[in-house]
Amino acid sequence: MTAKTIYTKLNRLRQQSRQTGQVKVPASALLLGAEAGIHLLLGAVLSGAVIFQDSAPFGLALVGAAGSGPRGGAALVGACFGSMTALDFSSGLRYSSAAILTFAIHFAFCEWRVLRRPWAMPLIAGALDAFTGFIVRSQTGWRTVDAICFVLEALLTVLAVWAFQGALSPAAGRTRDSAGPLHRLVGTTALLCACLAALEPLYLYKGISLGRAAAVMAVLTAAWQGGPAAGAVQGVVIGLSMDLAGQAAPMYAMACGLSGLAAGLRRGQGRLGAAVIYVLTNGAAVLWTWDLGLDLSILYEVFLAAIVFLIIPEQFARRLGMELSPAEAGTVDLRAQRLVQQKLEHTAKAFRSLYDSLRSVFQPPDNDNDVATVFDRAAGRQCRGCALRDRCWKSDYNTTFNALNDATPAMVERGRAEAGDFPRHFADRCIQFPGFVAAVNEELTALFYRRQYNARIRESRAAVCRQYAQLSDLLGEAAAELSRELTPDPASDRRLRRCLAESGLEVRAAACRDGRGLLRVEAEGPDCAALGRPGRLKELSAAVGVPLRVELEGKNTLSLLQQEPLMAVAGVAARKKTGETVSGDAGTYFKRHDGKLYLLLCDGMGSGPEANRESTLAVRLLEQLLQAGVDARRALTTLSSALALRGEETGGFTTVDLLQLDLFTGEGELYKLGAAPTYIKKGGSVQRLSGKSLPAGLAEGEQSALDQFSLRLAPGDCVLMVSDGVCSGLEDGWLKEKFSQFQGTSPKDLARELVTQDSGEATDDRTALVIRLDRRT
């Protein structure tokens, strides 16, 4: 926020006060004011953190990390106030001038792209600290220790600015985890250590330091929440900051690190046990260094910190410990995922190669299916021993050839030869004419059988090739699905970890986004069963900001997926044909794990058990394919090919009506294979969707034969699927009128009313499936 923007907003508030006598401050302004106040307080506190005897670079580092807006200005005011009051005049003037120059450079050149780089302000603040330090130290002379402290202070300033940027990234206007989880953890720890170093000179009673007692409690909470590793690391780092602030040997680093390591063994268990172990371990460390001069006041500080640790709310202790603990790795095994992906890709390539090789080998059979071979074979049987053979087939060959050509069209059209098909002169001359006609008919029948056989062979071979190609495509799609790696969502992951820490459940979890941008949570641990309960699930949903539902639950594992904003209320009714024991219709509806809803209605050929067998088989196969993640169009093509091959033995087929609806967006696709019309109700209008395709099993392998309609539904819209028995004729005006008057109260009642609209005998099976789309509450 620039100075011009601030001035404009102040003028607007002044005018509003004059006109109405009131000033309405937006919530964002209040939040900005609160953050500026926090920066002001931090700047004042951090400026008093002295290390290396006379170095206090942390106020300057905060100014460099806070930016050029109101937060940076507040940090500058706090740093200057703290430097001038907590330090001697010379040092206070030095650090105040460095902070003012740092803020001025950032404010004046904030539009420069180079200053937006993460390393720009750390280097500028470090350079200004070195510049002012060089001037001040040059007046008193340089010793070796002064040079060492000078270099270390400049480096520490650079590192502190970088670390504070990670800790202050949410307040600086960037996304919460733009700095990265590790950067944020380092920044939070560095900011805490600097604050504790500033509080180290403040004593509660005699030698009991407020800063050291607060440091012990921070290490204890980190160990209790994060385990031995977190306790040891935070103990060493925080203890080292106490040693630097006290100008002492690294005794506190040793004591805090060792105690944090031991207390971490009680991770996630009772706080009393962790506190007792920390106190005992710390006492052992003090006794171990008795001769080295470790201040005995640390025993009182540890005891005080343990008491505070036990009496503070457990939820607060868990949250504090989580902020100081490194994030644990997720539960996804990417290496195993890549291995499975590669295996699927190689298998898909193998089946594709098999398909290509079979398609090139499966050429049409080299058979004598030409009509001319009918006469050749008949002549070979009848004319071989005839006295007129040479005359007919040598001397008068052209006459014989023309006579047979004249007889061919009528013979082929009729399917058999008759004496009248041949010219009179040929019939009178042939002395074995009746036998010749009979032989021609036998050979013509054999030719038709060969043609039918060859066509069946070609169809079967083509079906086999298509099945291999479809299998290759399915494996390729599965491999592509595995290649879409889940994208980590650091912001949701952090909120998730905070919620789990506050709940006290022993669960490790990771939050990520899938290819569609939907949130997924993978959890493992002994308390996963408790996490999947409705109450806990509601708390978790509120924490991550989206509703979650259980997708898969196993032993000590749990997978959660973002809940769909839409839901469907369905109603189904059926009536079998009068006189039949079962209906030839079959249908179902189900929701897949990715939030897609499927409605399926199949009508087998005819009625009764045979039709029921065909429709039930089609429903079962399609549901299995769709539940496995197969694309709807590919699943229908696979089903049609399978039913065509099966139909060679059973002769059955079935119509298919399939609706695919995305409950996240309301977008859908309607597929039809010879099915009755489907009706879409939006408000008071009804749209009729009908196709021209053949039923599944009759249009084998023809993907273009599928009728496909794209839909976009909203809450309150309804869909009606019916079998052809509901509207046995072409007139469906009564159905459209009844559907347009439907108020959406009970889809099941509407379906029942449609299949029983007349009290007479049912001349065909009747099935109606109605869904109403609602918004999930």
Side-chain angles (χ1 to χ4, degrees):
M1 184 180 298
T2 63
K4 183 178 180 181
T5 305
I6 298 175
Y7 181 75
T8 302
K9 291 188 175 182
L10 289 176
N11 280 337
R12 189 180 300 129
L13 291 176
R14 189 180 299 110
Q15 293 175 2
Q16 183 182 13
S17 176
R18 290 175 180 175
Q19 294 173 359
T20 63
Q22 297 179 349
V23 176
K24 296 181 179 180
V25 182
S28 58
L30 294 177
L31 179 61
L32 180 61
E35 292 176 350
I38 293 174
H39 282 70
L40 176 67
L41 181 61
L42 280 176
V45 172
L46 293 178
S47 297
V50 180
I51 60 174
F52 305 142
Q53 296 182 351
D54 59 352
S55 299
F58 298 112
L60 168 62
L62 181 68
V63 175
S68 59
R71 304 175 186 88
L76 174 62
V77 173
C80 292
F81 174 80
S83 298
M84 298 305 296
T85 55
L87 306 177
D88 60 82
F89 181 77
S90 176
S91 298
L93 188 61
R94 169 205 166 183
Y95 288 111
S96 296
S97 60
I100 293 173
L101 289 174
T102 301
F103 179 81
I105 291 176
H106 202 178
F107 184 83
F109 306 105
C110 61
E111 299 298 329
W112 286 18
R113 183 175 300 179
V114 66
L115 288 184
R116 299 177 185 177
R117 300 297 180 90
W119 45 262
M121 289 311 300
L123 292 180
I124 291 174
L128 291 174
D129 177 81
F131 175 72
T132 56
F134 180 82
I135 295 176
V136 172
R137 291 184 183 274
S138 297
Q139 296 176 356
T140 59
W142 289 87
R143 297 175 300 170
T144 302
V145 65
D146 294 332
I148 295 175
C149 291
F150 172 79
V151 174
L152 291 178
E153 181 183 342
L155 293 176
L156 187 60
T157 303
V158 173
L159 295 177
V161 174
W162 174 84
F164 290 171
Q165 285 177 340
L168 301 177
S169 58
R174 298 183 288 269
T175 59
R176 180 168 181 82
D177 289 271
S178 60
L182 181 60
H183 191 183
R184 292 196 71 254
L185 178 62
V186 172
T188 303
T189 302
L191 189 60
L192 175 63
C193 290
C195 291
L196 293 175
L199 297 177
E200 194 270 344
L202 299 180
Y203 294 97
L204 298 174
Y205 179 77
K206 294 185 178 181
I208 302 177
S209 168
L210 174 62
R212 291 198 295 266
V216 170
M217 198 187 76
V219 175
L220 184 53
T221 53
W224 176 64
Q225 181 65 29
V233 172
Q234 294 292 354
V236 170
V237 174
I238 295 177
L240 187 60
S241 67
M242 295 296 98
D243 291 321
L244 289 174
Q247 316 299 326
M251 296 298 181
Y252 285 99
M254 179 274 298
C256 292
L258 185 60
S259 302
L261 176 65
L265 299 175
R266 298 285 298 175
R267 173 190 177 186
Q269 303 181 33
R271 287 190 287 175
L272 179 60
V276 170
I277 290 179
Y278 190 98
V279 171
L280 294 178
T281 306
N282 182 79
V286 171
L287 294 177
W288 181 21
T289 59
W290 186 271
D291 294 335
L292 299 179
L294 186 62
D295 194 349
L296 294 181
S297 61
I298 188 176
L299 297 177
Y300 303 104
E301 295 164 350
V302 169
F303 182 76
L304 176 62
I307 296 299
V308 175
F309 171 72
L310 292 176
I311 64 176
I312 62 174
E314 182 176 341
Q315 184 176 356
F316 175 76
R318 289 186 180 277
R319 177 173 294 188
L320 177 60
M322 188 203 65
E323 293 290 339
L324 299 175
S325 304
E328 296 178 348
T331 59
V332 181
D333 189 352
L334 294 180
R335 180 177 177 274
Q337 177 177 318
R338 293 191 184 97
L339 290 176
V340 174
Q341 174 196 346
Q342 293 175 0
K343 189 172 183 179
L344 287 176
E345 289 176 346
H346 294 160
T347 307
K349 290 180 181 179
F351 276 108
R352 176 61 64 175
S353 300
L354 181 60
Y355 160 72
D356 293 335
S357 63
L358 290 178
R359 189 176 63 171
S360 61
V361 172
F362 285 167
Q363 299 296 332
D366 187 13
N367 244 322
D368 52 344
N369 57 357
D370 189 1
V371 178
T373 60
V374 172
F375 298 114
D376 292 341
R377 294 192 177 193
R381 293 168 52 187
Q382 295 295 322
C383 302
R384 187 180 301 275
C386 180
L388 301 178
R389 182 188 65 181
D390 291 341
R391 178 184 174 184
C392 292
W393 295 102
K394 291 184 178 180
S395 302
D396 296 336
Y397 174 77
N398 290 333
T399 303
T400 302
F401 180 78
N402 292 332
L404 297 179
N405 277 343
D406 293 341
T408 297
M411 177 186 69
V412 173
E413 182 179 0
R414 189 185 304 111
R416 59 177 290 103
E418 295 182 357
D421 297 335
F422 297 89
R424 186 66 184 174
H425 66 85
F426 177 81
D428 294 339
R429 187 184 64 188
C430 181
I431 58 179
Q432 299 185 23
F433 184 67
F436 180 76
V437 173
V440 167
N441 284 329
E442 292 177 3
E443 294 298 333
L444 183 61
T445 301
L447 172 65
F448 289 155
Y449 278 132
R450 287 194 298 273
R451 283 182 174 178
Q452 184 179 8
Y453 170 78
N454 291 338
R456 186 69 58 83
I457 287 293
R458 285 194 297 271
E459 291 176 0
S460 299
R461 289 175 174 176
V464 171
C465 289
R466 281 195 298 271
Q467 293 294 338
Y468 280 125
Q470 291 168 4
L471 182 58
S472 173
D473 293 339
L474 291 178
L475 293 174
E477 289 178 359
E481 184 69 22
L482 285 176
S483 67
R484 301 187 188 103
E485 295 185 359
L486 300 176
T487 304
D489 187 344
S492 299
D493 190 72
R494 187 161 188 83
R495 292 193 294 266
L496 171 68
R497 292 179 60 242
R498 181 183 296 114
C499 180
L500 293 176
E502 294 173 356
S503 67
L505 297 178
E506 192 174 348
V507 175
R508 293 192 301 117
C512 50
R513 300 275 177 177
D514 61 14
R516 302 170 62 192
L518 303 180
L519 185 68
R520 294 183 62 93
V521 174
E522 299 292 337
E524 65 178 10
D527 292 338
C528 280
L531 186 62
R533 294 171 185 167
R536 293 291 187 186
L537 201 58
K538 187 176 181 180
E539 294 177 2
L540 205 61
S541 300
V544 298
V546 295
L548 298 173
R549 61 175 174 86
V550 177
E551 178 190 13
L552 185 63
E553 187 172 5
K555 185 179 180 181
N556 296 335
T557 60
L558 184 68
S559 296
L560 303 177
L561 185 63
Q562 183 173 336
Q563 181 70 275
E564 306 86 8
L566 301 176
M567 61 178 292
V569 181
V572 183
R575 181 184 179 187
K576 62 180 179 291
K577 180 181 178 181
T578 302
E580 295 291 348
T581 58
V582 294
S583 173
D585 301 340
T588 187
Y589 58 91
F590 56 91
K591 186 180 72 172
R592 209 163 61 180
H593 65 87
D594 58 357
K596 290 185 178 179
L597 176 70
Y598 290 91
L599 279 76
L600 180 59
L601 180 60
C602 295
D603 184 2
M605 180 183 64
S607 58
E610 296 296 329
N612 177 265
R613 185 185 66 245
E614 297 299 324
S615 61
T616 303
L617 174 64
V619 168
R620 186 175 70 251
L621 291 178
L622 271 178
E623 183 175 1
Q624 291 175 348
L625 290 171
L626 295 172
Q627 288 281 26
V630 180
D631 176 72
R633 190 177 186 90
R634 195 177 303 283
L636 289 171
T637 304
T638 302
L639 173 71
S640 187
S641 299
L643 292 182
L645 292 175
R646 189 172 181 273
E648 296 178 1
E649 302 295 333
T650 63
F653 60 87
T654 180
T655 66
V656 179
D657 221 344
L658 175 62
L659 173 64
Q660 173 185 280
L661 184 61
D662 190 336
L663 294 179
F664 284 98
T665 63
E667 297 178 350
E669 298 290 336
L670 177 66
Y671 301 91
K672 286 183 173 294
L673 283 173
T678 297
Y679 302 87
I680 311 296
K681 178 178 179 294
K682 291 177 173 288
S685 62
V686 176
Q687 181 184 8
R688 182 178 187 267
L689 301 178
S690 58
K692 301 179 181 179
S693 60
L694 295 175
L698 294 184
E700 175 203 358
E702 297 292 336
Q703 292 195 25
S704 59
L706 275 76
D707 294 311
Q708 182 175 352
F709 305 90
S710 297
L711 308 174
R712 186 171 185 85
L713 304 181
D717 295 344
C718 300
V719 179
L720 169 63
M721 284 184 175
V722 296
S723 61
D724 56 4
V726 175
C727 292
S728 54
L730 297 178
E731 176 57 38
D732 62 353
W734 65 272
L735 186 147
K736 294 172 65 176
E737 181 179 359
K738 190 176 291 293
F739 192 33
S740 64
Q741 297 173 355
F742 175 59
Q743 300 300 319
T745 54
S746 175
K748 186 173 182 63
D749 290 345
L750 175 63
R752 185 186 300 111
E753 187 177 353
L754 292 177
V755 300
T756 58
Q757 48 90 19
D758 58 5
S759 57
E761 294 186 351
T763 58
D764 196 0
D765 300 314
R766 300 175 182 175
T767 303
L769 196 156
V770 184
I771 67 161
R772 182 189 73 244
L773 199 63
D774 289 339
R775 186 172 300 280
R776 188 181 300 275
T777 57

